[in-house]
Amino acid sequence: MSRRPLVAAMILVATLLTALSVHALWAPWSGPTRPASGSAPHGSVTLTGGTAHDVVILTIAAPMTGTTAVDVRLRPRDGAATGTSPPVVTVSAVLPTAGHAVPDFTAVPASDDRYHVAGLPLMMPGRWEFLVAVDGDGRHGRLVFPLTVPR
């Protein structure tokens, strides 16, 4: 009896198992990230985080390559004192796997608790980290919001 069919079958099984393993490891990173707070209208994505003083809600208008608007909303936590002047909010983004980084953009106050960046450039698809900093009036928070930009 020849061992060739057995060896060939074992090689085929090993190849299939390797392909399935690679797919299982890669698949979670290849699709869009599901937002923590659900999606806002028109394809935007809303993510929620927090600091000691605020619940921070980040909305990315168009999570795809190109330039996108970003909104930040600060909701004071229960018992957190709100100061007399609004904090400075900055937004940037980093794509660690490709070495890309967007410089800090100072968000423009849009209302009492909302801030806006008109154009945050995203150079390519991938697993971006949106960085939000809240500084001033007793607030000093840094947050990272991961989001996969699919195209």
Side-chain angles (χ1 to χ4, degrees), residues 65-136:
T65 57
T67 302
T68 186
V70 176
D71 293 301
V72 177
R73 181 175 179 205
L74 304 177
R75 285 194 343 224
R77 290 190 181 277
D78 292 336
T82 56
T84 56
S85 62
V88 174
V89 175
T90 58
V91 179
S92 63
V94 175
L95 181 61
T97 57
H100 292 306
V102 173
D104 290 345
F105 283 81
T106 301
V108 177
S111 68
D112 290 340
D113 62 350
R114 296 179 191 270
Y115 298 82
H116 181 74
V117 173
L120 194 71
L122 304 175
M123 300 92 169
M124 64 185 292
R127 183 90 171 158
W128 284 87
E129 294 177 354
F130 291 83
L131 312 169
V132 176
V134 180
D135 283 309

